Amino acid sequence: MNSLFTARKRRSAAVAVTGMAMLGGMFAGIGTANAADDNWYDQSALLTSCQQNVDGLGKADRCRFEPAKREIFTGPARQVGPTVHACATKVTLGRQTTAGRTEENSIGVSVGVEAGLSKVFSASIQTTYNHTWSYSTSETTEIGGEVPEYSIGYATLAPAMQRVTGRMVINYPKRRHGHFLWYAYPTLTQYDPDEMQYSTTTVYSRPMTAQERQSMCNGAGGATSAPPATHTTIHLAQPPTSQGAGLSGRPRN
């Protein structure tokens, strides 16, 4: 009798231990999944899901951009307009336009996705700062400088630029990696055609060589001396400025 009772007791204890081990394994698995979710953070995938379905995320319900800081600064100088060859008379450089550029995003996404996101960005930036923002734009300026006679010259424009940092608030209909709400923190850069006081315009010129006079001016002015090489700043940019403050990033809520 005692031996039968002891055997049953041992079997019950074994079943209890096995059950606890199975539960422990289940809870361990849950902990591992949560840890993986907590470590997941792909800002490119998050932004892309604002425009289209993304594996593991689907498509976001709503995406709202919250600008935090806007900086205005002067970009690198590049030649605008053609190189001018002035023969017997000086040439005045008129209105010139930069090559167009598209919005630059610190978080890499496809061109098509960026074009769609830009509509969200521009609406918030214009509302917050009362300022123009476009996905694709150029800058046009009146140069007004001159290239002297028997000289070759061109103009450069260091364009006014704007840089906006902020937070994209991304909401999902179901939990994604453990959360309904995720954040991405893009930094956006583009021309600023409304703030031309932050651009610098310069005209460069140099005398033609004898060979250039022969080929470009039919040999005219062979004995005429041209002014020495020079560069003239037509417009000097103001120092950079900013509005707002930076953000301390948090990936999710």
Side-chain angles (χ1 to χ4, degrees):
M1 183 71 173
N2 288 338
S3 61
L4 178 61
F5 176 78
T6 302
R8 287 176 177 172
K9 185 175 181 181
R10 286 175 179 170
R11 282 198 297 272
S12 299
V15 170
V17 169
T18 303
M20 291 177 65
M22 290 174 65
L23 287 172
M26 290 171 63
F27 284 120
I30 292 172
T32 303
N34 285 341
D37 284 345
D38 286 343
N39 291 329
W40 183 91
Y41 189 43
D42 185 337
Q43 294 195 77
S44 177
L46 289 167
L47 283 185
T48 299
S49 73
C50 290
Q51 296 295 306
Q52 62 191 42
N53 284 307
V54 174
D55 289 345
L57 290 174
K59 189 174 187 297
D61 265 356
R62 296 182 303 277
C63 293
R64 181 181 76 255
F65 184 59
E66 298 176 344
K69 184 178 183 180
R70 175 172 171 266
E71 301 169 86
I72 313 168
F73 62 100
T74 305
R78 293 186 175 88
Q79 181 174 341
V80 287
T83 298
V84 172
H85 307 92
C87 290
T89 57
K90 62 186 178 183
V91 175
T92 300
L93 300 175
R95 183 177 293 270
Q96 304 293 343
T97 301
T98 61
R101 65 166 281 155
T102 56
E103 171 183 291
E104 181 182 319
N105 189 339
S106 62
I107 302 173
V109 294
S110 71
V111 172
V113 167
E114 187 65 34
L117 289 173
S118 187
K119 298 174 183 177
V120 181
F121 296 143
S122 62
S124 297
I125 291 170
Q126 292 183 36
T127 299
T128 303
Y129 301 114
N130 192 28
H131 207 78
T132 300
W133 184 276
S134 300
Y135 171 69
S136 179
T137 189
S138 59
E139 285 195 6
T140 300
T141 187
E142 191 71 40
I143 303 298
E146 295 178 342
V147 177
E149 61 275 9
Y150 301 111
S151 298
I152 296 175
Y154 61 92
T156 64
L157 175 65
M161 306 287 294
Q162 54 184 327
R163 181 186 297 118
V164 175
T165 55
R167 177 175 76 173
M168 184 72 95
V169 182
I170 306 162
N171 186 268
Y172 295 99
K174 297 180 181 180
R175 290 185 184 275
R176 296 293 184 252
H177 296 279
H179 303 275
F180 287 99
L181 201 63
W182 284 84
Y183 303 131
Y185 296 85
T187 296
L188 311 168
T189 308
Q190 181 56 295
Y191 284 145
D192 192 346
D194 294 340
E195 301 279 8
M196 292 304 291
Q197 65 270 30
Y198 292 92
S199 65
T200 294
T201 308
T202 306
V203 173
Y204 294 83
S205 65
R206 64 165 179 82
M208 289 183 179
T209 64
Q211 184 177 0
E212 287 169 336
R213 287 195 188 197
Q214 182 64 40
S215 62
M216 297 174 187
C217 303
N218 296 321
T224 305
S225 61
T230 185
H231 68 274
T232 304
T233 300
I234 306 300
H235 179 269
L236 183 63
Q238 292 184 9
T241 187
S242 64
Q243 300 169 271
L247 283 172
S248 55
R250 188 171 53 138
R252 61 188 176 274
N253 193 17

